[in-house]
Amino acid sequence: MSIKVVTTSPFSDQKPGTSGLRKKVTVFQTPNYLENFVQSIFDSLEGFAGQTLVVGGDGRYYNRHAIQTILKMAAANGFGKILVGRGGILSTPAASCVIRKYNAFGGIILSASHNPAGKDGDFGIKYNTGNGGPAPEKITDAIYEITKSISEYKILEAGDLDLDRLGATKLGDTVVEVIDSVADYAELMSSLFDFDRIKLLLASPDFRLCFDGMHAVTGPYAQEILVNRLGAPTSALQNCVPLEDFGDGHPDPNLVYAHDLVEVLYGENAPDFGAASDGDGDRNMILGKKFFVTPSDSLAILAANAHHVPAYKGGLAGIARSMPTSQAPDRVAARLGIECYETPTGWKFFGNLLDAGKATLCGEESFGTGSNHVREKDGLWAVLFWLNVLAARQQSVEAIVKEHWQLYGRNFYSRHDYEGVDSDRANTLVDNLRKKGVDLAGQKFGNYQVDFCDDFSYTDPVDGSVSSKQGLRIGFTDGSRIVFRLSGTGTQGATLRLYVESYEPNIAKHNLDTQEALKELIEIADQIAQIKVLTGRAEPTVIT
Ligand code: G16
């Protein structure tokens, strides 16, 4: 087998976003597009000769093809060993687990997360470092710089490998080992949670659960953990056969896209607990019987109940949340006497805090929760955490959430997304806000007075790196907030995200509808940012 050096020329659009490079499949199918990016990843790294690389993806269309290419390129570039999930599949948290467990140099994860898949869908690629987490900005910036001037890539001339057969084979001088995608991850989960207690809960005739894999990567993990190890009936799983096109669905676990699950949990004779995970298995949505838990509340509640879980019994070092996530976790941190860190959007910003032992739990409004057990958010981990808490407290999801609000007050919270907006219009809106923000402090809008307005900037407390322009925040004197930012994960036009939050200590008002409770702030957001006028949209595309 010989190494071929292929001449290529740069593509101008390979800047990684919030979580790697995400584009239409058809873009990735452009000759040399994938190869350029992969070679740029390798060229940005040092010292990997003879080391181990982990490769896997969420199983979407183009996954297998891309993996064959990456294996041959990794071999040509000098990796000593490559661990690849069976069938090319590894959920994002499982990939992080495998990188850490086998002390790999890093990993390449192929996923466009919750974005739809298939021939006309999306594809994505990102690099994770040896701690198992998404590469920090200094690496993604370096990769991008290289993509702008790349002139050749290396690939081994070899046939495709059988990705479905477990075991090791040779690719040139490199050993490629196809590993069980599920085993290592399932082992890790059983070391964190009280599986015996959860088993008892699932065996009880008074408790039923429904897990929706959304035809994405989590199905086999849920089968192994929830059914085989914890004894849930197979009927508790739905949409758990992974499909290349995710069954034409949009595997984003929220009230809009996880409609199959919502119908079950809000229907007749609903189960007691419902959960869904996304395309690559790192997001989660938690439902009780006819009851939705917002992701921000979920993080706060898990933190407040961490003492019920064996892995976190000893206490939490700290909590971290992304800036647009509600401040509900901050209240728990204050009561526990621990730090609550506020980072920019993107799981990569939690890595240093976790590595330095400053944070134990992390979470985001975008349906992501995780801990120091890996360096990615983790959908099934969150489901198991909730099951562990339910088993320990023997109360319903709704009762646990409402008790939490009674103790801490309720942070009403909602995100409004305007998807596929013309990029120029979206940028104008943000630029206008930046200019306007200077004069907003002190101004009154209805019942609210602006306390501050800024463009969020983050200085990493571990390495001192600064990330600026991470979202426009308008804070009001009563602690309410409006945040605007443009998504870094879309593949078409721009997605404007509006995040709205208000705090309600009065228990009598906790049962208000969220949109009703936030109505005035939502109107103020439109008044200040001229959302309807500038986006040309009367309504958001998705409200979560
Ligand atoms: C990624 C990131 C998350 C981020 C989310 C949304 O998640 O890992 O940290 O919150 O995107 O980002 P944006 O608001 O820029 O679209 P995932 O699940 O898509 O990999």
Side-chain angles (χ1 to χ4, degrees), residues 10 19 64 82 85 88 106-107 183 192 196 209 222 232 245 262 293 303 327 331 361 385 401 439 453 455 483 501 513:
S19 185
R64 279 176 178 265
I82 308 168
L192 301 174
D196 289 339
L209 107 114
D245 62 355
V262 173
V293 186
Q327 296 162 96
R331 297 179 185 281
L361 298 187
F385 201 136
V401 175
D439 305 321
C453 175
D455 201 343
V483 175
E501 172 182 13
D513 170 68

Side-chain angles (χ1 to χ4, degrees), residues 17-19 22 92 111-115 126 134 252 278 280 282-283 322 344-348 350 364-368 376-377 415 485-490 495 497 499:
T18 309
S19 185
R22 292 188 189 168
T92 294
S111 171
S113 187
H114 53 285
N115 296 12
K126 68 172 180 172
D252 196 357
D278 72 330
D280 60 331
D282 58 2
R283 296 187 177 202
S322 65
T345 294
W347 206 263
K348 59 190 170 211
F350 294 135
E364 295 183 280
E365 50 65 41
S366 55
F367 295 80
E376 288 279 4
K377 55 189 185 273
R415 184 176 103 185
R485 60 179 281 281
L486 298 182
S487 157
T489 55
T495 294
R497 301 206 195 284
Y499 312 81

Side-chain angles (χ1 to χ4, degrees), residues 25-337:
V25 167
T26 47
V27 174
F28 272 101
Q29 286 170 327
T30 311
N32 296 346
Y33 194 88
L34 172 73
E35 290 84 348
N36 274 19
F37 193 74
V38 173
Q39 187 65 53
S40 300
I41 292 176
F42 296 152
D43 288 351
S44 74
L45 306 173
E46 271 170 24
F48 59 79
Q51 302 279 320
T52 301
L53 181 74
V54 173
V55 180
D58 61 15
R60 65 177 59 223
Y61 181 77
Y62 210 57
N63 192 53
R64 279 176 178 265
H65 177 93
I67 285 183
Q68 297 288 355
T69 303
I70 293 167
L71 295 180
K72 291 170 201 169
M73 289 185 66
N77 277 274
F79 277 96
K81 188 170 187 182
I82 308 168
L83 299 175
V84 57
R86 179 170 18 197
I89 290 185
L90 279 177
S91 77
T92 294
S96 184
C97 158
V98 170
I99 294 170
R100 293 170 69 76
K101 181 166 178 178
Y102 297 102
N103 291 320
F105 187 86
I108 291 184
I109 301 179
L110 303 162
S111 171
S113 187
H114 53 285
N115 296 12
K119 286 190 172 70
D120 301 317
D122 290 348
F123 192 74
I125 175 168
K126 68 172 180 172
Y127 178 69
N128 280 31
T129 50
N131 71 349
E137 275 188 332
K138 63 173 188 302
I139 295 183
T140 56
D141 288 349
I143 295 171
Y144 177 49
E145 280 310 309
I146 296 168
T147 66
K148 292 195 277 188
S149 59
I150 187 166
S151 58
E152 57 183 39
Y153 63 83
K154 281 190 231 159
I155 189 161
L156 203 71
E157 286 191 295
D160 282 356
L161 292 188
D162 181 356
L163 297 178
D164 297 308
R165 202 163 43 91
L166 294 180
T169 33
K170 275 275 196 108
L171 193 55
D173 294 333
T174 305
V175 176
V176 177
E177 188 174 342
V178 177
I179 57 169
D180 184 329
S181 324
V182 176
D184 292 319
Y185 178 80
E187 274 311 304
L188 177 60
M189 290 303 112
S190 69
S191 74
L192 301 174
F193 298 105
D194 190 340
F195 269 32
D196 289 339
R197 211 165 193 176
I198 300 175
K199 254 190 221 163
L200 283 178
L201 175 75
L202 298 186
S204 152
D206 300 328
F207 186 85
R208 279 186 303 128
L209 107 114
C210 179
F211 177 82
D212 195 322
M214 302 191 86
H215 286 305
V217 79
T218 328
Y221 295 87
Q223 171 70 36
E224 173 60 22
I225 296 171
L226 297 175
V227 177
N228 302 354
R229 297 194 184 210
L230 291 169
T234 314
S235 58
L237 307 187
Q238 63 181 31
N239 301 326
C240 275
V241 175
L243 299 173
E244 277 203 332
D245 62 355
F246 299 148
D248 263 343
H250 193 147
D252 196 357
N254 59 44
L255 290 175
V256 178
Y257 293 125
H259 38 76
D260 285 1
L261 181 72
V262 173
E263 265 169 37
V264 174
L265 267 291
Y266 282 77
E268 287 293 304
N269 191 24
D272 304 277
F273 179 75
S277 204
D278 72 330
D280 60 331
D282 58 2
R283 296 187 177 202
N284 74 89
M285 174 172 75
I286 302 295
L287 299 173
K289 206 184 274 252
K290 299 186 172 39
F291 192 83
F292 167 64
V293 186
T294 66
S296 302
D297 277 350
S298 181
L299 172 63
I301 291 164
L302 296 187
N305 287 280
H307 56 280
H308 292 299
V309 175
Y312 311 107
K313 257 201 174 90
L316 306 175
I319 306 174
R321 64 162 174 85
S322 65
M323 179 274 284
T325 302
S326 100
Q327 296 162 96
D330 305 36
R331 297 179 185 281
V332 177
R335 189 175 278 249
L336 292 174

Side-chain angles (χ1 to χ4, degrees), residues 475-518:
F476 297 91
T477 48
D478 71 342
S480 302
R481 294 192 309 166
I482 297 174
V483 175
F484 298 89
R485 60 179 281 281
L486 298 182
S487 157
T489 55
T491 57
Q492 236 165 3
T495 294
L496 172 72
R497 301 206 195 284
L498 162 68
Y499 312 81
V500 189
E501 172 182 13
S502 78
Y503 178 64
E504 182 53 75
N506 183 351
I507 296 173
K509 292 187 181 167
H510 284 175
N511 284 334
L512 270 180
D513 170 68
T514 299
Q515 299 306 315
E516 208 37 53
L518 297 173

